[in-house]
Amino acid sequence: MPTVVKKHPLAIRWFHWLNFPILACMIWSGLLIYWANDEYKIKLGQKEFFHFFPDGFYKTLNVPFRLAEGMSWHFTFMWLFFINGLLYVLFTIFSGQWRLLLPNKKSVKESWLVVLHDLHIRKAAPEFLKYNAAQRVAYTLVVLMGIGSLLTGLAIYKPVTFSALAWLCGGYEAARLEHFILTLGYVLFFLIHIAQVIKTGWNNFQAMVTGFEIIKPNQTVNNE
Amino acid sequence: MNNSTHTFPQEQLSKKQLRRKTLLSFLIFVVLGAGAWALFSSVKNAPKDDGASKPLRSVLSTNESIFSSVFSSKKLVKEYPVSAAAKAVRVNGSDGLEDAVDTADWRLHVVKQNGDTLTLTLADIKKLPKKDIVFDFKCIEGWSQVTHWAGVSLKTFLETYGLTAESKMNYVGLQTPNKKYYVGIDMPSAVQEQTILCYEMNGAQLPLNQGYPLRLIIPVKYGVKHLKRIGTMYFSNSKPPDFWAERGYDYYAGH
């Protein structure tokens, strides 16, 4: 008889899987908007290393001349992004799940050990409960990033109404740059997240859909 | 086995039960995923309402009512010292400026509620008290620039010409003389004290490409609402046609 361990509450699975298409739509529509004034570059002195984004990138994704469409999606999905994120945070607080999520005293140091382990530099991984130290840091950070996107977004959307917020962001243009950098952060998070999920395997992945992880005799539980 | 798993609830299942549970979860997952995609496609392909998909347009209108009722339209935009103003002012678009314009011929036509039309020359408008404003001009494209403008406050203008009844209506509409470019503005934003009928930029006559002889400067709105070369002004309780809103943009376009 297989034993299953109930790992992810139904609510968390809903928030997680709803967030995926919502955030994807926010990033896509954000790109349609950004195209209209794609001023960000990585420069060192006079030398330009990378321009966000090359023409080929826009062409492949069919981005050009869709500013109005992008804004209409963005200002619709902002509500879904906000409501889903808010419900997730409230649920984690009231269910006590935050204890498994928030980094503790050891987490910062330990997350280095996790990274070293993942890079095959260190043999043993630190012991952990639901999430390891690196996950605690990363998953908490991504929630904070969500709050950051919301605040910088409001500062760009209504810079007069939320003038204090725009000031806190360092002004309208700074808020736009911060909003953009946070978006790059999600993409980076996504890539690492997918790689880790693939690495950890099916049992861990299916738990995010079914809620339970299967323990077979003599097998350890992986937690990604 | 990892000791920590003991803190999570465990359950013994038969292989059949486990298979059934897993299958059911994935079935629901796939169905919901397909549903989400179908919903997205239906919104994307929905009939258009003024250039934007209907469901999205209704959210934009809802956003407008939320933001305009929760927050005051009287809030002032931050002003800057004249020294902060850009010398090279960005020019973005020349819609409605296709024809030549001559001060001798140009008139501002103000269509009153009773059907009468006030016809004013630039000199008439310049007689009214002049107001300077230096503020951060913002474009929906995502750029902004601190710029210096001067003219008469629209609120003062309406009061001076006895357009009290008109200023109590819901919207003001503006058109270029050739009527090819037009904008509609909610009255609370239009009579916010920083809104001006502008005829000067950087202390000099408004350049042709900036809307000479008279343009709107409305700091609480994005650039799409700052109509260049005003020919006609009128008032309405329903939304006047708006060039950019017809092309899918948010009608309110406010800050």
Side-chain angles (χ1 to χ4, degrees):
Chain A
M1 289 261 282
T3 306
V4 295
V5 49
K6 290 179 179 165
K7 193 179 171 189
H8 301 296
L10 182 64
I12 295 225
R13 283 177 277 147
W14 269 97
F15 299 136
H16 173 270
W17 288 113
L18 276 174
N19 192 58
F20 174 60
I22 293 172
L23 185 58
C25 188
M26 284 307 271
I27 294 175
W28 166 70
S29 57
L31 197 58
L32 300 187
I33 299 172
Y34 171 73
W35 169 85
N37 187 33
D38 62 335
E39 57 188 346
Y40 304 137
K41 299 171 173 80
I42 294 175
K43 271 170 85 174
L44 235 154
Q46 288 301 305
K47 193 166 158 49
E48 184 184 310
F49 285 96
F50 189 77
H51 173 229
F52 297 97
F53 291 92
D55 282 346
F57 174 81
Y58 289 133
K59 263 187 209 138
T60 311
L61 295 177
N62 186 23
V63 169
F65 302 104
R66 295 173 76 182
L67 169 61
E69 189 190 352
M71 291 202 295
S72 63
W73 282 102
H74 215 67
F75 301 149
T76 300
F77 271 66
M78 67 179 186
W79 293 109
L80 302 180
F81 181 72
F82 166 62
I83 293 165
N84 191 53
L86 181 70
L87 290 178
Y88 170 76
V89 170
L90 290 177
F91 178 82
T92 8
I93 292 171
F94 289 111
S95 66
Q97 288 277 323
W98 63 270
R99 287 193 191 86
L100 302 167
L101 179 75
L102 283 189
N104 49 33
K105 278 180 203 159
K106 302 179 295 181
S107 296
V108 176
K109 190 193 148 214
E110 265 190 32
S111 51
W112 275 112
L113 301 180
V114 175
V115 171
L116 292 178
H117 169 75
D118 286 352
L119 296 174
H120 303 281
I121 295 168
R122 191 177 186 276
K123 220 170 192 176
E127 281 208 8
F128 55 90
L129 214 54
K130 184 177 176 180
Y131 296 132
N132 69 38
Q135 284 177 295
R136 282 174 181 257
V137 171
Y139 296 170
T140 301
L141 197 64
V142 88
V143 173
L144 293 177
M145 282 162 62
I147 297 169
S149 287
L150 196 76
L151 297 179
T152 51
L154 275 178
I156 308 166
Y157 183 52
K158 302 282 172 194
V160 177
T161 306
F162 304 111
S163 55
L165 193 59
W167 179 83
L168 272 175
C169 295
Y172 177 75
E173 301 207 342
R176 187 173 183 263
L177 176 62
E178 289 151 14
H179 201 69
F180 182 80
I181 291 170
L182 284 167
T183 310
L184 293 183
Y186 295 126
V187 176
L188 188 67
F189 174 91
F190 178 76
L191 294 176
I192 296 173
H193 189 55
I194 295 300
Q196 294 280 37
V197 167
I198 292 171
K199 200 192 98 192
T200 313
W202 175 255
N203 196 13
N204 167 70
F205 169 76
Q206 66 83 38
M208 204 58 215
V209 178
T210 62
F212 54 77
E213 209 160 291
I214 303 145
I215 310 169
K216 284 171 190 158
N218 307 321
Q219 196 191 333
T220 46
V221 175
N222 287 314
N223 294 266
E224 196 62 59
Chain B
M1 192 195 294
N2 191 331
N3 292 331
S4 59
T5 52
H6 291 304
T7 55
F8 293 98
Q10 295 195 8
E11 206 182 337
Q12 296 275 325
L13 294 172
S14 72
K15 277 198 167 158
K16 202 178 162 190
Q17 280 175 312
L18 179 63
R19 199 178 302 132
R20 185 178 293 165
K21 270 197 151 189
T22 308
L23 262 173
L24 187 65
S25 291
F26 272 89
L27 189 68
I28 295 171
F29 184 72
V30 170
V31 167
L32 288 175
W37 181 256
L39 188 66
F40 174 78
S41 306
S42 76
V43 172
K44 198 163 179 284
N45 301 322
K48 297 233 151 74
D49 178 3
D50 270 355
S53 147
K54 255 187 184 165
L56 299 180
R57 173 63 74 190
S58 70
V59 177
L60 292 182
S61 303
T62 310
N63 290 350
E64 170 174 346
S65 16
I66 293 171
F67 281 97
S68 57
S69 59
V70 176
F71 302 101
S72 164
S73 303
K74 291 204 170 76
K75 190 166 176 187
L76 293 182
V77 171
K78 185 189 171 189
E79 295 193 32
Y80 293 77
V82 171
S83 59
K87 296 286 167 283
V89 180
R90 188 158 169 169
V91 178
N92 222 47
S94 54
D95 294 292
L97 308 185
E98 296 82 0
D99 310 318
V101 65
D102 179 1
T103 327
D105 300 335
W106 178 88
R107 296 286 182 278
L108 173 65
H109 303 281
V110 184
V111 184
K112 293 168 77 167
Q113 222 186 338
N114 62 9
D116 289 352
T117 301
L118 262 174
T119 305
L120 304 170
T121 63
L122 189 58
D124 294 332
I125 292 159
K126 283 187 173 173
K127 277 181 207 145
L128 302 177
K130 187 165 105 181
K131 178 183 169 64
D132 281 75
I133 181 155
V134 183
F135 76 104
D136 193 20
F137 186 107
K138 298 184 188 74
C139 178
I140 46 166
E141 290 172 0
W143 52 268
S144 75
Q145 193 179 38
V146 175
T147 42
H148 175 198
W149 313 87
V152 57
S153 132
L154 184 59
K155 190 166 185 270
T156 309
F157 175 85
L158 296 174
E159 283 164 4
T160 310
Y161 283 98
L163 300 160
T164 326
E166 284 79 2
S167 68
K168 291 200 170 72
M169 297 180 79
N170 294 341
Y171 294 93
V172 52
L174 299 171
Q175 292 173 334
T176 53
N178 67 5
K179 309 214 185 304
K180 283 184 184 163
Y181 196 58
Y182 38 90
V183 74
I185 288 158
D186 57 288
M187 196 57 79
S189 303
V191 297
Q192 192 262 21
E193 61 185 276
Q194 291 168 313
T195 303
I196 59 174
L197 293 174
C198 164
Y199 47 78
E200 272 185 16
M201 186 184 85
N202 282 336
Q205 176 182 287
L206 201 59
L208 260 179
N209 59 13
Q210 289 290 357
Y212 170 87
L214 190 72
R215 74 172 296 175
L216 186 72
I217 287 291
I218 179 161
V220 294
K221 299 277 185 195
Y222 281 98
V224 279
K225 292 287 181 182
H226 298 228
L227 187 108
K228 291 170 177 174
R229 199 190 288 180
I230 307 171
T232 306
M233 180 189 298
Y234 63 100
F235 308 89
S236 165
N237 278 325
S238 55
K239 283 182 174 176
D242 187 285
F243 184 89
W244 288 112
E246 284 171 5
R247 282 152 183 79
Y249 289 87
D250 175 26
Y251 192 94
Y252 190 63
H255 292 162

